[in-house]
Amino acid sequence: MNTFTLELLSATAQRNIDGVVSFVGEDASGSFGLLPGHVRSMTALLFGLARFRLNEESGEVGQGGEGTDGWQYLAVPGGLLYFVDNHLQICCRRFLVDTDFERISTLLQRQLLVEEQQLHAMKESLRRMEESILRRLWDVTRKGAAASG
């Protein structure tokens, strides 16, 4: 059976998975699938879940053991997908792989919530910093006007 290799790359981890027989992901144009022998492709994955199926002989399983339908799930916060010569490479900030759809969906939801909270905190910090800079500029221009007048 024809297969391809899935290489996952993030800032902190790398994982090679051999024996992949199909991959389903989503980009801005919608869902798409890749099979062994597919033409060269490159796209930007959306935040969410992708899935892939392994050749039964590969023996590779994700966290949680064997899935009931043979699919393994890949959670990514967006990323770049490149497929050439039966090698699928996905570069992203981080990734999670699991055979249990419910578990990985819950983890992805938690991750999204944490990222939203961190983004909110960062925006609030930037707002306070901007406010502080504007106050200082106001003070400097006020003192400069008082000294010259």
Side-chain angles (χ1 to χ4, degrees):
M1 176 181 270
N2 287 339
T3 64
F4 60 89
T5 300
L6 170 60
E7 181 181 12
L8 302 169
L9 300 167
S10 76
T12 59
Q14 177 194 13
R15 182 169 175 190
N16 285 317
I17 302 171
D18 294 321
V20 178
V21 295
S22 64
F23 176 88
V24 178
E26 185 177 1
D27 63 8
S29 66
S31 289
F32 63 91
L34 297 172
L35 296 171
H38 195 279
V39 297
R40 181 187 323 204
S41 300
M42 180 181 274
T43 190
L45 293 173
L46 297 178
F47 185 105
L49 287 177
R51 62 186 179 153
F52 60 94
R53 189 182 300 251
L54 296 175
N55 182 347
E56 294 170 3
E57 299 149 12
S58 72
E60 177 110 24
V61 293
Q63 176 183 338
E66 193 61 45
T68 57
D69 59 1
W71 287 100
Q72 292 195 41
Y73 299 93
L74 169 65
V76 292
L80 184 65
L81 176 146
Y82 182 59
F83 186 85
V84 64
D85 297 330
N86 283 334
H87 184 90
L88 174 58
Q89 187 176 62
I90 298 176
C91 301
C92 52
R93 286 181 296 163
R94 63 180 155 272
F95 61 85
L96 301 168
V97 177
D98 202 324
T99 56
D100 186 299
F101 178 79
E102 294 298 323
R103 182 173 43 234
I104 200 164
S105 295
T106 301
L107 290 171
L108 185 62
Q109 209 169 25
R110 285 184 194 153
Q111 185 180 60
L112 180 58
L113 181 62
V114 166
E115 285 184 8
E116 284 179 12
Q117 290 170 342
Q118 290 172 342
L119 181 62
H120 177 73
M122 183 181 69
K123 285 182 178 181
E124 182 62 26
S125 176
L126 286 172
R127 188 193 63 75
R128 284 193 307 266
M129 207 169 24
E130 184 179 60
E131 194 176 277
S132 175
I133 289 170
L134 289 173
R135 236 186 259 124
R136 288 181 187 172
L137 284 173
W138 175 257
D139 289 344
V140 168
T141 55
R142 218 178 50 201
K143 289 177 184 175
S148 64

